[in-house]
Amino acid sequence: MLFSPFISKPDSVSAIMLKVLLALLPGIAMYVWYFGPAILVSITLASITALSTEAAMLKLRGRPIAPFLKDNSALLTAWLLALSIPPLAPWWLVVVGTAFAIAIAKQLYGGLGNNPFNPAMIGYAVLIISFPVHMTHWLAPHGLGDGGLVLAELSYAQQLQYIFSGALPQGLTLDAISMATPLDTLKTHLHLEESVQQILHMTIYGQIGGHGSEMVAWGFLFGGLYLLATRIISWHIPVAYLGTLFAIAGIFHLVDPAHYVAPLFHLFTGAAILGAFFILTDPVSSPTTNKGRLIFAAGAAFLTYMIRTFGGFPDGVAFATLLMNIAVPLIVLYTQPTVFGKKAQGDKP
Amino acid sequence: MRELYQFHGGIHPPSNKTQSTRVAIAHAPLPSMLTIPFHQHAGETAKPVVKVGDHVLKGQLIGLPDGFVSSAVHASTSGTIAAIDMQLIAHPSGLPNLCATLIPDGKDEWIALEPVADYRSHSTTELQQLLRMAGVVGLGGAAFPSDIKLRIGKQKINTLILNGAECEPYITCDDMLMRERAAEIVQGAEILRFMLDANEVLYGVEDNKPEAIAALQQAIAASKLNHEVVSIPTIYPGGSAKQLIRVLTGLEVPSGKLPTDIGVQCFNVATACTAHRAIAHGEPLLSRVVTITGNVRHAKNYEVLIGTPINELVALSEALPDTDRYIMGGPMMGVPLPGVQVPVVKATNCVIAASAKLFPPLSPAMPCIRCTRCAEVCPADLQPQDLYWFAQSREFGRAQAFSLFDCIECGACSYVCPSHIPLVQYYRFAKSEIRAREHDKQLADQARERHEYREHRIEREKREKAEKLAAKAKAAKPAEPLTSQQQAEQAELEARREHIREVAQSAVEHTTERNGD
Amino acid sequence: MLNALLVMAGIAIVLGAVLGYAAIKFHVEGNPLVDKIDAVLPQTQCGQCGFPGCKPYATAIASGEANINKCPPGGEEGIQKLASLLGVDPIPFGGDTQPKPKSVAIIDENTCIGCTLCIQACPVDAIVGAAKQMHTVVASECTGCELCVAPCPVDCIIMKPIEEKISNWKWKYPVYALTESAATAGAAR
């Protein structure tokens, strides 16, 4: 027998995930515009791997396959991971990362809704620890190749050939055709005792962040605002994350502008915007209380800044996310809202 | 303008109310038979005071209130009691309960009524007793005996709230009642105010019922009473008593407490109307307004006799052929009916004919992704996703610690859940398991106490016997006749035991034979 | 060297005094563990565990003489509770001890010969009656222990499982199986 309520809002997990995927499109479009279509290859590879891994794991776990393949959550993990990996990465890197994310970080914990860590970030962490060299060769934006940022720019066919066979055109090395990320470059040059102002004059940098990549960040920001407008995500995490990152970076910058880059640079380079709207907001692995979300995001911003500025990795979003994921149950326990009618007593479970 | 307050969350489901407000309340014709349950109210079942075959008059008492929280039950029309037995009623269990079956004689003949000319000359205790014997209970859905809610003891009531919010979709019985019988509602409200000695009377009506608000305002103006109609924002569950009190007064009824603890009492507008009829006309609660809507040709409100079978009622509105089930109450909190002959009871505000098209079956639940849409809409500020987790893993202690019992089962969380998890059902399950456990615990404690007492008693008896024997032995040297008497006693006892053994043996053989057949 | 020894000895003496004082000050009469176990047991006093009541069984569990799976009226849940209370792994019921639905004893009043044997057997004094008078069970006090069934010389006591009524009905655990076809139903919405 069916019981009340008999009506429900026409909504589904699948539709929510689909909207998040849609919201990624402006950023992806910018990516393609500035860095070429190689990213589409990684996204496709990751998607196929994610869906087949998910299906295989569901089969092994004896769970129904169709409903979970249609929930679009595996696709979202795949896209987020693909966007975190250099587009020029060899095909097996994408496959290994995605398969690990889905099989280990998601399905082994119980599948949809049960993963304590963001699967895409687990995939990224595994790759950057296991294959650090492959993970640091990024494409240069169009028009800045050929002697600008890199020695030579590959044609799309050559890029494809490299991704799948690992073969580069005669006389070229991987170092010659790729570059480090703007964040990495900044860190390397700061170690060389250059000042922030000098470094930012390099062609790799644009108006606020990295040339090209700052535009990709704008694309993700646009998509993120769509998610806010459609109430897929609440404002707490993006605002607290970007706000805290801005504040911490601002303080350091004010104290020593020669060694600490301006706060806006931090927001528009690396995965800050993507993380604020798409990664940290993963409902499964983030806190369920609004106060908890603020603490979670502020903590992640603090860790991101610390890892970027003082740590050994080029970007800190992934590790900041994972570290804060660990703290989620505790944060949720201590930020329980006051239940109706319990305001006076203020007792908490 | 009065300052209004908000409660957390709430939803805006499609209201679907206009279908049934186009025409006035109609009187449902006398049905072919009436099934009147003895348990139509919260509390103890009323005790039957009629026998099968009795002829009863309209308004005659057939069930006497039994216990403190209980209410009277009356014959809704004149006729013959054909049966007093277990019949299906509107209950989620689908189990039967004690009902009287009344075959109307068609005369609709009243008993002698005893109206109260001036209620102000009566004590509140007398008026409470009148309401109790008139079977007046809350008509908003919970059917709590009204006289109990009026027994406030030494508590001081500041605000009396008349609940005309009617926030559930489809239901319009209160709306129509306010439009058509505003004067009676206002009179009833004044009686309730008098009994509670409240300072102010507020009518909370959602702003999607402008006609009802206007009618009430007119009636108040005509009565020259100092009542106030407050238009409140339309949001579900704004008609839930605790939420309505919050909106109108800004006060929150403390968890586990009653509204009277904060100087507020709340009655449904239809209850006020019934209280007025009971006091001023002496009429017990025999009928109520019921909305018939959903998958029917003519959605409408009817004045229906308590006990009318649902099928005869829905036939008046012509249910469409693809109707597959009926729901008593609204789509958010209603009860699916276990059969079409289930009677209308005092709590029946609405009957919805449902079809797969109107209420598509819930698609199977996906896992919870902790999106917290449920927490955003929860009017009790709970964390439904956590409560769900505890309930489904049967961690009842933690569910209770996370305030499971502050859940009002409004269904807002289930309504918005993108994973289509039947959240409220998990909460109902957990609550009823916890209650059952507490009951078992009570029984176990009781049994332990009785067992310990028994052991104690046996010990004492043994001791006393030993003392007596010792005293006896000390008192006199054993005499011959005494021993023979003891022997005789012993022999008799042995003979009796032998006899019992024989009887037992024959009984066993008898059973074995029977089983062998 | 000597200072260190003195300091250590001093600390030992002070702490020993504190411990000794605490042992006297916070002394608990009786065995609290037995009471805790007893609180979990269903108090049917049926003796199905092989002990003459719930308290003796609790004492036996506390002293490690009995396993936690000897109480059929407690059901699987009782085992779970005992297991979590004692911090041990739950063990399933052994072969012949299996939980049964909760019942009450009913005396067939036409057959009863008034022998009072059942009254003597009832551990919670839930049977009333006198010698050669018909007996009856006070249903609300009956724990369903079945101890009265065996002594009855005329087999007039039957155990009747408690039937489901509206007053004791419980909401069921919601079950909505997620299957392959579910996706199509979901997509149609």
Side-chain angles (χ1 to χ4, degrees):
Chain A
M1 181 108 77
L2 293 164
F3 294 103
S4 62
F6 302 98
I7 51 176
S8 68
K9 215 173 176 179
D11 201 353
S12 66
V13 175
S14 164
I16 291 175
M17 298 288 175
L18 188 68
K19 279 183 192 159
V20 182
L21 289 175
L22 281 178
L24 281 170
L25 289 180
I28 294 174
M30 284 300 186
Y31 210 124
V32 174
W33 179 262
Y34 281 95
F35 296 92
I39 185 69
L40 298 180
V41 177
S42 349
I43 287 178
T44 314
L45 261 178
S47 300
I48 294 168
T49 313
L51 289 177
S52 37
T53 314
E54 181 109 323
M57 287 302 288
L58 287 167
K59 178 111 186 142
L60 281 174
R61 290 179 55 219
R63 304 275 291 142
I65 297 169
F68 287 108
L69 282 193
K70 287 184 184 167
D71 69 23
N72 293 331
S73 65
L75 276 184
L76 184 58
T77 300
W79 288 28
L80 289 175
L81 182 57
L83 288 170
S84 320
I85 300 175
L88 263 196
W91 65 271
W92 52 264
L93 197 74
V94 181
V95 170
V96 167
T98 318
F100 194 94
I102 297 289
I104 311 289
K106 183 179 176 191
Q107 288 294 336
L108 280 194
Y109 280 103
L112 179 68
N114 292 307
N115 46 293
F117 300 101
N118 188 314
M121 291 305 103
I122 289 277
Y124 173 85
V126 165
L127 292 182
I128 201 154
I129 291 169
S130 315
F131 312 102
V133 177
H134 295 93
M135 290 294 282
T136 43
H137 288 100
W138 292 80
L139 274 173
H142 281 312
L144 293 177
D146 291 333
L149 282 171
V150 292
L151 292 174
E153 209 174 303
L154 293 184
S155 72
Y156 299 151
Q158 286 167 328
Q159 286 181 357
L160 264 184
Q161 193 189 5
Y162 174 71
I163 291 171
F164 286 100
S165 70
L168 285 170
Q170 201 72 42
L172 283 179
T173 60
L174 190 56
D175 281 333
I177 54 142
S178 67
M179 61 167 211
T181 61
L183 270 175
D184 216 1
T185 312
L186 177 74
K187 198 180 260 178
T188 319
H189 285 264
L190 280 174
H191 276 296
L192 299 172
E193 303 282 311
E194 290 176 45
S195 79
V196 167
Q197 285 74 15
Q198 286 170 318
I199 300 168
L200 288 186
H201 279 298
M202 295 168 68
T203 40
I204 188 171
Y205 297 106
Q207 301 296 319
I208 326 171
H211 186 94
S213 62
E214 65 186 15
M215 294 313 288
V216 177
W218 278 109
F220 289 136
L221 179 63
F222 184 74
L225 293 178
Y226 163 76
L227 290 184
L228 277 181
T230 50
R231 304 182 67 104
I232 300 280
I233 58 172
S234 72
W235 59 267
H236 303 83
I237 289 178
V239 168
Y241 181 77
L242 297 176
T244 311
L245 190 58
F246 188 91
I248 297 175
I251 293 166
F252 276 91
H253 181 67
L254 280 179
V255 171
D256 185 0
H259 285 96
Y260 300 102
V261 71
L264 269 182
F265 179 89
H266 272 285
L267 300 194
F268 281 87
T269 51
I273 299 277
L274 186 69
F277 289 97
F278 294 90
I279 295 169
L280 287 161
T281 53
D282 167 32
V284 180
S285 54
S286 67
T288 46
T289 58
N290 286 337
K291 225 187 282 172
R293 285 173 179 145
L294 295 176
I295 296 170
F296 169 79
F302 175 78
L303 288 173
T304 304
Y305 188 82
M306 290 302 146
I307 295 169
R308 277 181 176 183
T309 316
F310 307 107
F313 290 100
D315 197 355
V317 177
F319 289 106
T321 307
L322 294 175
L323 285 172
M324 288 313 289
N325 282 163
I326 300 174
V328 165
L330 199 66
I331 294 174
V332 169
L333 188 64
Y334 284 102
T335 54
Q336 288 289 316
T338 314
V339 170
F340 186 98
K342 291 198 172 169
K343 294 230 157 64
Q345 296 104 304
D347 54 9
K348 277 181 187 147
Chain B
M1 270 310 269
R2 173 173 286 272
E3 188 192 353
L4 292 181
Y5 301 84
Q6 278 187 326
F7 58 88
H8 178 265
I11 54 171
H12 293 96
S15 73
N16 282 304
K17 285 178 188 268
T18 48
Q19 296 95 313
S20 52
T21 54
R22 293 193 192 108
V23 289
I25 301 171
H27 274 268
L30 205 59
S32 62
M33 64 145 204
L34 293 150
T35 312
I36 306 169
F38 287 97
H39 189 256
Q40 299 188 40
H41 43 263
E44 301 293 320
T45 305
K47 203 166 71 192
V49 289
V50 285
K51 296 186 303 294
V52 174
D54 281 3
H55 184 265
V56 291
L57 294 176
K58 179 170 187 166
Q60 185 177 332
L61 186 81
I62 61 169
L64 195 66
D66 192 18
F68 181 61
V69 182
S70 186
S71 197
V73 176
H74 303 81
S76 312
T77 185
S78 59
T80 315
I81 302 288
I84 295 178
D85 56 3
M86 303 298 268
Q87 297 283 339
L88 277 187
I89 58 155
H91 191 270
S93 65
L95 292 168
N97 213 351
L98 192 65
C99 296
T101 307
L102 173 63
I103 306 294
D105 59 12
K107 292 184 211 148
D108 214 23
E109 193 182 334
W110 275 96
I111 49 158
L113 298 179
E114 292 165 28
V116 172
D118 179 20
Y119 62 84
R120 285 168 203 279
S121 62
H122 287 70
S123 74
T124 50
T125 325
E126 281 167 9
L127 294 174
Q128 281 163 12
Q129 189 59 20
L130 282 176
L131 291 180
R132 179 174 164 97
M133 292 312 290
V136 177
V137 300
L139 297 184
F144 198 84
S146 299
D147 58 297
I148 307 292
K149 284 174 79 175
L150 291 161
R151 273 171 223 248
I152 46 162
K154 286 196 179 66
Q155 275 163 326
K156 179 77 195 105
I157 300 298
N158 185 46
T159 312
L160 167 65
I161 291 174
L162 273 296
N163 189 344
E166 202 168 53
C167 57
E168 264 221 57
Y170 288 94
I171 310 176
T172 58
C173 59
D174 289 349
D175 186 4
M176 294 308 289
L177 192 83
M178 287 186 281
R179 292 191 202 185
E180 297 185 16
R181 300 178 198 169
E184 287 186 294
I185 294 172
V186 172
Q187 292 306 322
E190 183 55 25
I191 295 174
L192 298 172
R193 192 209 63 76
F194 170 75
M195 292 176 74
L196 291 168
D197 195 22
N199 296 337
E200 57 172 358
V201 181
L202 302 178
Y203 297 74
V205 186
E206 286 194 342
D207 54 15
N208 61 356
K209 303 181 219 353
E211 297 93 340
I213 293 171
L216 280 176
Q217 276 165 342
Q218 242 169 16
I220 292 166
S223 70
K224 302 210 167 48
L225 287 165
N226 190 23
H227 296 184
E228 186 186 342
V229 184
V230 186
S231 168
I232 58 169
T234 299
I235 184 165
Y236 180 86
S240 160
K242 287 182 178 179
Q243 276 64 29
L244 181 64
I245 291 169
R246 162 95 190 138
V247 168
L248 289 175
T249 67
L251 299 172
E252 279 186 15
V253 181
S255 173
K257 294 275 178 67
L258 295 170
T260 47
D261 293 321
I262 52 166
V264 183
Q265 189 56 296
C266 193
F267 285 94
N268 183 271
V269 285
T271 315
C273 189
T274 316
H276 166 71
R277 307 268 337 156
I279 302 285
H281 300 270
E283 286 176 19
L285 175 47
L286 303 184
S287 68
R288 64 159 298 148
V289 180
V290 180
T291 310
I292 309 295
T293 185
N295 202 33
V296 293
R297 198 150 284 151
H298 315 289
K300 205 195 269 188
N301 281 281
Y302 293 91
E303 174 87 37
V304 186
L305 292 179
I306 305 298
T308 304
I310 298 296
N311 52 357
E312 294 198 27
L313 191 56
V314 177
L316 302 173
S317 274
E318 293 177 51
L320 298 174
D322 62 332
T323 301
D324 54 6
R325 67 212 145 106
Y326 295 100
I327 291 156
M328 190 174 282
M332 295 301 295
M333 294 182 77
V335 178
L337 295 182
V340 289
Q341 293 210 319
V342 164
V344 165
V345 290
K346 292 173 182 176
T348 310
N349 45 12
C350 180
V351 175
I352 303 177
S355 66
K357 217 173 94 201
L358 194 67
F359 299 146
L362 205 68
S363 49
M366 292 286 284
C368 169
I369 56 165
R370 314 203 323 146
C371 67
T372 66
R373 279 162 174 65
C374 48
E376 280 159 32
V377 299
C378 180
D381 239 323
L382 297 168
Q383 296 284 299
Q385 75 282 353
D386 292 336
L387 291 178
Y388 157 67
W389 186 256
F390 300 139
Q392 64 101 31
S393 55
R394 293 183 162 84
E395 282 186 62
F396 299 125
R398 295 198 72 191
Q400 243 175 315
F402 277 70
S403 310
L404 174 67
F405 281 91
D406 287 290
C407 164
I408 58 168
E409 298 177 27
C410 68
C413 49
S414 301
Y415 177 79
V416 296
C417 181
S419 290
H420 311 299
I421 300 169
L423 294 164
V424 185
Q425 280 196 61
Y426 280 99
Y427 308 148
R428 289 179 185 132
F429 157 74
K431 282 183 185 177
S432 85
E433 282 295 324
I434 292 169
R435 286 199 192 104
R437 256 149 244 237
E438 277 169 2
H439 180 70
D440 285 352
K441 179 94 188 32
Q442 230 171 356
L443 287 183
D445 288 345
Q446 199 178 315
R448 181 184 298 113
E449 204 176 297
R450 288 180 76 91
H451 181 63
E452 275 165 8
Y453 177 75
R454 179 188 141 89
E455 304 232 291
H456 180 73
R457 193 196 69 212
I458 290 171
E459 192 64 33
R460 195 190 59 211
E461 277 169 4
K462 224 187 247 169
R463 207 176 49 229
E464 280 171 2
K465 213 173 183 180
E467 276 167 11
K468 225 182 254 170
L469 275 178
K472 247 183 206 166
K474 219 172 152 190
K477 278 273 149 204
E480 260 331 281
L482 198 70
T483 326
S484 68
Q485 195 190 336
Q486 270 179 341
Q487 272 170 350
E489 265 175 18
Q490 211 121 43
E492 196 196 320
L493 197 68
E494 194 51 44
R496 215 161 74 196
R497 276 189 188 141
E498 187 55 38
H499 173 70
I500 289 170
R501 263 183 228 121
E502 269 167 33
V503 174
Q505 193 55 36
S506 76
V508 169
E509 276 160 17
H510 190 62
T511 341
T512 335
E513 270 167 37
R514 240 191 349 223
N515 290 351
D517 284 348
Chain C
M1 181 66 191
L2 186 67
N3 276 345
L5 276 176
L6 284 176
V7 167
M8 293 307 283
I11 291 174
I13 288 166
V14 170
L15 288 181
V18 169
L19 281 174
Y21 174 73
I24 297 161
K25 172 86 181 168
F26 301 111
H27 180 70
V28 183
E29 283 299 333
N31 188 343
L33 183 60
V34 171
D35 286 337
K36 273 188 194 159
I37 297 171
D38 194 42
V40 173
L41 296 174
Q43 304 303 322
T44 45
Q45 315 294 354
C46 60
Q48 289 180 63
C49 49
F51 295 89
C54 295
K55 192 79 173 254
Y57 178 43
T59 317
I61 294 177
S63 62
E65 286 162 30
N67 254 330
I68 58 171
N69 66 342
K70 302 284 182 225
C71 179
E76 299 282 351
E77 204 180 304
I79 295 182
Q80 295 286 347
K81 276 190 193 160
L82 286 173
S84 68
L85 175 68
L86 300 169
V88 296
D89 285 333
I91 24 181
F93 280 109
D96 47 345
T97 45
Q98 288 298 332
K100 274 183 261 182
K102 199 169 183 262
S103 311
V104 286
I106 291 184
I107 295 177
D108 180 355
E109 301 179 346
N110 297 320
T111 325
C112 174
I113 54 168
C115 69
T116 75
L117 288 176
C118 58
I119 297 182
Q120 292 162 38
C122 180
V124 291
D125 289 341
I127 305 178
V128 289
K132 292 185 183 159
Q133 302 281 313
M134 181 255 291
H135 304 338
T136 191
V137 176
V138 183
S140 64
E141 305 294 346
C142 175
T143 63
C145 68
E146 304 187 5
L147 288 179
C148 53
V149 176
C152 179
V154 291
D155 283 337
C156 73
I157 303 179
I158 51 158
M159 298 305 297
K160 197 171 165 216
I162 295 174
E163 62 176 27
E164 193 173 51
K165 293 183 301 242
I166 284 188
S167 54
N168 65 7
W169 175 78
K170 290 194 289 184
W171 283 91
K172 304 289 172 294
Y173 189 87
V175 179
Y176 286 87
L178 188 59
T179 55
E180 288 294 338
S181 58
T184 37
R189 281 174 67 87

